[in-house]
Amino acid sequence: MANRVPITVARGDGIGPEIMDATIAILQEAGAAIEPQFVEIGEAVYKAGHSAGITPATWDSLRATKVFLKAPITTPQGGGFKSLNVTIRKTLGLYANVRPCRSYDPFIRTRHAGMDVVIVRENEEDLYAGIEHRQTDEVYQCLKLISRPGCEKIVRYAFEYAVRNGRKKVTCFTKDNIMKLTDGLFHKVFDEIAAEYPGIENEHWIVDIGAAKLADTPSAFDVIVMPNLYGDVLSDVAAQIAGSVGLAGSANIGPICAMFEAIHGSAPRRAGQDLANPSGLLLGAVMMLVHLGQPEAAARVHNAWLRTIEEGIHTYDIFQDGVSKQKVGTSGFAKAVIARLGKTPEVLAPVHYLAGDTGPQVRPATHTRARKDLVGVDVFLHWRDGATEVLANRLCALDAAPLKLVMITNRGVKVWPGGLPETFCTDHWRCRFQAANPGDPVSPRQVIALLDRVEKAGLDFIKTEHLYNFDGEPGYSLGQGQ
Ligand code: NAD
């Protein structure tokens, strides 16, 4: 056998240890050239005082092996615990989360026969930056960060994935009719990169109608690339409508390291009963073998698994009278797959993985820097002392020349000048100051002088956002109604 490759393995929490033991047993029987290094992560590690759920020794193992096969873990309820999955993905730069969701009709019940969708989810940014602040009595904020390199990496990965896997179309979901700068950038980069792949069809849907179409007619989609939050939500939807969340595996790919897992969680209520379906983790492990350059072992496992499914040997979550033949637990399912190693499915299409293709790896392009001009500032105030007009009069009286108040919004809606009494206002106000001729340059000193006056006037400023033009184009949104 080829040299065994060291991989880091975490058995996780809840059903994790059972499904991991089943998975490792199948991989070893299939002749996968792997050398597991077991580490502990998750609940016990959190409880031992590591607030991220992971120890320095595990980071060392991950950085040495660069490949992580991970069972689900339980994130303890309550504050003070950060999600370990998000921490690992971001710390190791695992920018691409690939989640194939397909149906196995007529062997597993689904309303969507023939569904075969791959969701490519951006994994490092968006609202998952996890930067949140409480700013006033009433208002809390979560920052949504989208970067050009982040968009370029994930969109190019999706197209490269399509090319290598014989896929015909890449669809992009965003909400850029509302978030014109952040989601707008994702869509713009998608259009730019799509133009480089004339052989692959491309399309964009606003995420709400796109999600509705995905849930209704998944056969209309092939590869779908999305920002982090939409991808997180919709990949669970896609896996569930394909048959079960217990069936889908997931690869988290970065330039140096990669992590493979099931998409489901630790299902604590099913733990320790030899009930859980190990298929999601096993299919994640199949993606790992492809990544490790072991396509034959990957196909051997995948085909034996398809054959097991086809013969109706099913765990409780996919068992259906009249379709399934034998109900098995986790270990019984593993034994059934092992017994079929070397066999291929007879009805479902057998899989074949190409030698030498360990998956796409992409890097963002370098860009020249834009000319950046400061043209104003949004000063956010915590204010609860009267009507909008009272606040506007106090701000206009600040004598902040050359800066001048041009607009006040409340949660993004323009309330001054010319607001409506019907608009509901919280205690969180955005007050936009620009030069008398908006677009004229402003200096940082003038912003500091303005804040000095705001503070001396007894107004409670909670944060500022600078308004910049980039190569003459505004890098900020207008108020709703402006
Ligand atoms: P879950 O995915 O663990 O379970 C939801 C339900 O789906 C279960 O009750 C069970 O009925 C079914 N299910 C899931 N996996 C199954 C399998 N392999 N076989 C059979 N049935 C299965 O979701 P949850 O209950 O929301 O979360 C439980 C815990 O898992 C939480 O602490 C959560 O934070 C964590 N979680 C971890 C990960 C991860 O480690 N990657 C992902 C999601 C959730």
Side-chain angles (χ1 to χ4, degrees):
M1 188 194 294
N3 284 344
R4 291 176 182 275
V5 186
I7 60 167
T8 303
V9 176
R11 294 170 76 240
D13 299 317
I15 59 170
E18 298 155 66
I19 60 173
M20 183 57 84
D21 290 349
T23 298
I24 295 285
I26 296 167
L27 297 188
Q28 286 179 332
E29 289 293 334
I34 52 165
E35 189 67 57
Q37 290 183 0
F38 289 94
V39 294
E40 192 166 353
I41 56 166
E43 212 171 6
V45 180
Y46 280 114
K47 288 185 177 158
H50 299 275
S51 64
I54 183 165
T55 62
T58 297
W59 285 120
D60 290 345
S61 171
L62 290 174
R63 295 187 64 211
T65 67
K66 301 178 176 52
V67 176
F68 193 15
L69 181 61
K70 182 185 133 307
I73 58 135
T74 302
T75 309
Q77 297 289 316
F81 300 111
K82 293 295 272 187
S83 160
L84 174 57
N85 294 315
V86 177
T87 302
I88 294 173
R89 288 170 187 154
K90 290 173 58 171
T91 306
L92 297 180
L94 310 181
Y95 63 91
N97 190 334
V98 185
R99 298 180 162 193
C101 300
R102 55 162 298 196
S103 55
Y104 302 96
D105 54 284
F107 306 105
I108 296 177
R109 184 176 47 186
T110 173
R111 287 192 208 102
H112 303 289
M115 172 176 176
D116 186 5
V117 175
V118 179
I119 293 189
V120 177
R121 162 190 170 194
E122 197 290 315
N123 224 8
E124 292 180 293
E125 36 190 61
D126 194 358
L127 290 160
Y128 289 58
I131 305 173
E132 295 190 295
H133 296 95
R134 178 174 178 176
Q135 297 188 323
T136 66
D137 285 324
E138 295 176 348
V139 174
Y140 298 69
Q141 169 187 278
C142 177
L143 280 184
K144 173 166 167 125
L145 296 176
I146 301 265
S147 74
R148 179 169 262 279
C151 296
E152 287 178 355
K153 285 191 294 182
I154 196 67
V155 171
R156 194 171 290 286
Y157 186 96
F159 278 95
E160 285 295 316
Y161 181 95
V163 169
R164 285 156 191 258
N165 291 280
R167 300 270 172 172
K168 304 280 179 282
K169 181 167 80 170
V170 180
T171 304
C172 176
F173 285 178
T174 72
K175 190 75 186 170
D176 68 336
N177 54 333
I178 304 295
M179 286 162 280
K180 294 180 194 292
L181 291 182
T182 48
D183 281 22
L185 175 64
F186 198 96
H187 187 172
K188 185 166 181 250
V189 169
F190 177 79
D191 286 346
E192 288 168 10
I193 291 178
E196 296 177 34
Y197 293 86
I200 304 279
E201 198 187 327
N202 71 81
E203 62 178 7
H204 172 268
W205 291 96
I206 300 292
V207 62
D208 37 15
I209 188 62
K213 275 175 73 81
L214 174 65
D216 185 61
T217 325
S219 55
F221 297 98
D222 194 344
V223 175
I224 314 180
V225 63
M226 307 183 228
N228 204 337
L229 177 63
Y230 315 139
D232 193 5
V233 174
L234 292 181
S235 53
D236 269 36
V237 172
Q240 185 66 26
I241 64 171
S244 163
V245 283
L247 288 176
S250 146
N252 300 266
I253 306 290
I256 299 163
C257 300
M259 174 168 82
F260 301 87
E261 55 185 342
I263 77 159
H264 61 74
S266 58
R269 273 175 304 181
R270 309 286 178 189
Q273 298 160 59
D274 192 29
L275 279 175
N277 188 347
S279 299
L281 186 59
L282 185 67
L283 293 181
V286 167
M287 290 194 262
M288 177 187 76
L289 293 178
V290 174
H291 174 84
L292 289 174
Q294 300 185 25
E296 281 162 19
R300 211 167 135 77
V301 172
H302 203 158
N303 284 324
W305 178 82
L306 287 166
R307 181 68 180 255
T308 309
I309 292 297
E310 203 178 79
E311 288 189 23
I313 302 170
H314 293 168
T315 44
Y316 82 92
D317 56 316
I318 53 172
F319 188 88
Q320 197 196 357
D321 284 328
V323 175
S324 306
K325 299 276 183 319
Q326 188 188 347
K327 191 184 269 183
V328 286
T330 315
S331 53
F333 186 82
K335 282 192 192 108
V337 176
I338 289 168
R340 285 158 185 78
L341 287 167
K343 293 190 176 169
T344 50
E346 291 178 335
V347 179
L348 297 167
V351 293
H352 173 68
Y353 293 106
L354 292 179
D357 186 1
T358 56
Q361 267 302 348
V362 300
R363 296 196 180 278
T366 47
H367 294 275
T368 51
R369 289 190 178 180
R371 202 189 77 231
K372 182 174 143 200
D373 300 310
L374 184 64
V375 295
V377 62
D378 281 346
V379 180
F380 288 76
L381 298 179
H382 182 181
W383 159 270
R384 56 203 148 172
D385 300 329
T388 311
E389 282 302 325
V390 177
L391 175 61
N393 289 341
R394 286 185 63 177
L395 291 170
C396 287
L398 285 179
D399 187 20
L403 289 170
K404 134 174 197 283
L405 182 70
V406 295
M407 173 183 80
I408 302 176
T409 69
N410 194 293
R411 290 182 305 164
V413 182
K414 184 180 68 119
V415 293
W416 184 92
L420 295 181
E422 286 83 358
T423 305
F424 176 77
C425 290
T426 67
D427 58 1
H428 186 269
W429 306 80
R430 173 179 60 165
C431 309
R432 175 162 292 177
F433 289 85
Q434 290 189 282
N437 184 21
D440 279 1
V442 165
S443 76
R445 278 276 139 216
Q446 289 163 349
V447 172
I448 293 167
L450 167 67
L451 291 179
D452 191 45
R453 285 169 189 277
V454 169
E455 195 264 339
K456 288 202 170 99
L459 294 165
D460 181 6
F461 71 90
I462 49 178
K463 73 159 188 168
T464 57
E465 292 282 354
H466 284 184
L467 309 180
Y468 293 108
N469 281 355
F470 288 85
D471 287 338
E473 286 291 315
Y476 50 92
S477 56
L478 297 178
Q480 284 149 4
Q482 194 183 4

